[in-house]
């Protein structure tokens, strides 16, 4: 049996749009803390929920007698409920403030947020009803997973949303829904095929004792498991390891220090790691020895980031070797742009990143 909550009310009330009385009935005790996610519409209702207990089977018809006399009239056949006196304030329609909810989800998940309500045509993405593109989960440079919020009123509509997202997204995605009530084993299997993640709003957001909206402590662990499956492993990229370059990093954030002669310690912002030439994609495919690019990187380290014609490794072939090394580093870190710059005064190259010898 469905447990009453504000989030279950969002899925039970058609279009997540109703008068305050119906929101209170459907949401139960969760209404007061979550009503901040509602906004009024510029129209009044023409029907009203039955507030009797137990309720009758109809929505009562609103009749305005003029002079401030407004009543809700039961339209059930036979003996119905008594008329209920109302005010215009009672008839104000409230709808789920999707944008405010998306902003809270985006903040809790540290998303690169966009403003795009699919159903209102702000972005020509797809005809997915009652579905909003919240933003992008960017766990590391070069990887961006779309995050969606969908609020559906039945299982068939939810299934249609999931199948559409699976069909239209070539990459993994995250789908947030108010409750798990429409999530069947079949849907979980379908989403797993795309290495995607299903979350509920309570997985992401919680209400503090003072009523403030806070991020759920558990959601980061869920995201980490999602990233483990969604990001490529070393086996998918030959011998190259996957460096988790923080999103938004530039070459200036990279620091490479040679250690033990054949390894480097790397730090990019708060992420660190130790790698050898093979793990950085600079291994000869025939014998596993270091490539000329690893030797060139070593030369840059000896020059503390500089390589010119006075360097012991100066060679006519260094131009081509440097170009290939740039591609190796771009693939390893997934940072765009040339990691080297040419200095006309010294007639040599300088690294845009910090590099030191052993």
């Amino acid at each position: 049996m469905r447990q009453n909550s504000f989030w279950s009310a969002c899925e039970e009330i058609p279009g997540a749009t109703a008068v305050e009385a119906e929101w209170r009935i459907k949401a139960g005790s969760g209404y007061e803390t979550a009503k901040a996610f509602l906004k009024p519409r510029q129209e009044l209702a023409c029907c009203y929920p039955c507030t009797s207990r137990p309720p009758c089977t109809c929505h009562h018809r609103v009749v305005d007698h003029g002079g401030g006399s407004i009543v809700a009239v039961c339209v059930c056949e036979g003996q119905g409920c008594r008329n209920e006196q109302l005010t215009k304030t009672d008839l104000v329609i409230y709808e789920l403030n999707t944008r405010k909810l998306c902003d809270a989800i985006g903040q809790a998940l540290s998303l690169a947020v966009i403003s795009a309500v699919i159903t209102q045509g702000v972005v020509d993405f797809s005809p997915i009803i009652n579905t909003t593109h919240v933003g992008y989960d960017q766990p590391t440079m070069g990887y961006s997973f779309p995050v969606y919020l969908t609020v559906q009123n039945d299982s068939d509509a939810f299934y249609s949303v999931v199948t559409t997202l699976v069909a239209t997204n070539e990459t993994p995605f995250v789908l947030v829904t108010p409750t798990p009530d429409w999530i069947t084993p079949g849907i979980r299997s379908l989403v797993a095929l795309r290495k995607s993640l299903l979350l509920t709003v309570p997985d992401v957001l919680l209400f503090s004792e003072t009523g403030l909206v806070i991020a759920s402590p558990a959601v980061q662990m869920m995201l980490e498991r999602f990233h483990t499956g969604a990001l490529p492993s070393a086996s998918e990229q030959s011998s190259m390891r996957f460096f988790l370059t923080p999103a938004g990093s530039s070459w200036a954030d990279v620091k490479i220090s040679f250690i033990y002669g054949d390894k480097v310690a790397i730090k990019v912002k708060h992420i660190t790691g130790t790698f050898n030439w093979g793990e950085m994609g600079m291994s000869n495919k025939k014998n596993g020895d270091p490539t000329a690019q690893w030797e060139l990187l070593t030369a840059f380290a000896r020059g503390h980031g500089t390589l010119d014609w006075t360097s012991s490794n100066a060679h006519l072939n260094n131009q081509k070797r440097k170009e290939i090394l740039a591609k190796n580093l771009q693939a390893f870190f997934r940072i765009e742009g040339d990691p080297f710059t040419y200095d006309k005064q010294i007639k040599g190259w300088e690294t845009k990143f910090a590099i030191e010898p052993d």
Side-chain angles (χ1 to χ4, degrees), residues 157-207:
F158 183 74
Y159 179 79
S160 177
V161 168
V162 173
T163 54
T164 301
L165 290 176
V166 169
T168 55
N169 282 282
E170 296 181 358
T171 63
F173 60 86
V174 178
L175 178 60
V176 184
T177 186
T179 77
D181 290 352
W182 308 136
I183 302 176
T184 63
I187 285 177
R188 289 192 183 277
S189 298
L190 186 62
V191 170
L193 291 175
R194 190 63 77 191
K195 296 183 179 180
S196 299
L197 175 65
L198 289 170
L199 293 173
T200 66
V201 174
D203 287 335
V204 181
L205 301 175
L206 297 176
F207 293 99

Side-chain angles (χ1 to χ4, degrees), residues 65-79:
H65 293 293
S69 176
I70 304 174
V71 295
V73 180
C74 181
V75 295
C76 291
E77 295 183 2
Q79 185 176 358

Side-chain angles (χ1 to χ4, degrees), residues 40-253:
R41 299 180 65 168
Q42 299 301 314
E43 58 184 293
L44 298 179
C46 59
C47 60
Y48 200 77
C50 179
T51 57
S52 300
R53 288 293 174 266
C56 67
T57 59
C58 76
H59 268 67
H60 296 183
R61 180 166 55 90
V62 174
V63 179
D64 189 345
H65 293 293
S69 176
I70 304 174
V71 295
V73 180
C74 181
V75 295
C76 291
E77 295 183 2
Q79 185 176 358
C81 308
R82 290 186 301 175
N83 292 350
E84 183 175 355
Q85 292 290 331
L86 303 174
T87 66
K88 285 190 175 182
T89 301
D90 296 324
L91 298 178
V92 173
I93 297 174
Y94 291 87
E95 66 180 349
L96 179 66
N97 190 336
T98 306
R99 186 71 266 152
K100 187 172 184 179
L101 179 55
C102 286
D103 288 344
I105 292 172
Q107 185 174 358
L109 299 180
S110 300
L111 303 183
V113 179
I114 62 171
S115 178
V117 181
I118 295 172
T119 51
Q120 294 180 357
V122 178
V123 171
D124 184 15
F125 176 74
S126 64
I128 308 179
I129 299 174
N130 296 327
T131 301
T132 306
H133 189 175
V134 183
Y136 292 94
D137 171 39
Q138 296 178 332
T140 184
M141 291 289 288
Y143 290 87
S144 186
F145 306 121
V147 179
Y148 305 96
L149 168 71
T150 191
V151 183
Q152 303 299 328
N153 298 128
D154 63 71
S155 58
D156 289 341
F158 183 74
Y159 179 79
S160 177
V161 168
V162 173
T163 54
T164 301
L165 290 176
V166 169
T168 55
N169 282 282
E170 296 181 358
T171 63
F173 60 86
V174 178
L175 178 60
V176 184
T177 186
T179 77
D181 290 352
W182 308 136
I183 302 176
T184 63
I187 285 177
R188 289 192 183 277
S189 298
L190 186 62
V191 170
L193 291 175
R194 190 63 77 191
K195 296 183 179 180
S196 299
L197 175 65
L198 289 170
L199 293 173
T200 66
V201 174
D203 287 335
V204 181
L205 301 175
L206 297 176
F207 293 99
S208 69
E209 294 181 357
T210 58
L212 295 176
V213 180
I214 60 175
S216 168
V219 73
Q220 290 305 318
M221 187 177 297
M222 297 178 184
L223 281 178
E224 287 175 8
R225 288 198 296 265
F226 163 61
H227 294 156
T228 299
L231 294 173
S233 63
S235 61
E236 292 173 311
Q237 292 192 349
S238 185
S239 61
M240 182 186 292
R241 282 176 58 187
F242 187 84
F243 191 84
L244 292 173
T245 305
S249 299
S250 67
W251 289 114
D253 297 310

Side-chain angles (χ1 to χ4, degrees), residues 139-142 242-257 264-275 280 329-330 332-336 352-355:
T140 184
M141 291 289 288
F242 187 84
F243 191 84
L244 292 173
T245 305
S249 299
S250 67
W251 289 114
D253 297 310
V254 177
K255 181 178 181 180
I256 301 175
S257 301
V264 290
I266 295 176
K267 182 177 182 181
V268 183
K269 292 186 176 180
H270 61 284
I271 301 298
T272 60
T274 302
F275 305 86
M280 293 185 69
L329 294 175
Q330 288 167 342
F332 180 69
F333 290 105
R334 294 169 315 286
I335 298 177
E336 295 182 356
K352 294 181 180 178
F353 53 87
I355 185 166

Side-chain angles (χ1 to χ4, degrees), residues 291-310:
T291 62
Q293 282 63 50
W294 178 262
E295 298 300 334
L296 193 61
L297 187 66
T298 305
F300 271 109
R302 285 197 292 266
H304 299 277
T306 299
L307 184 68
D308 57 23
W309 285 107
T310 66

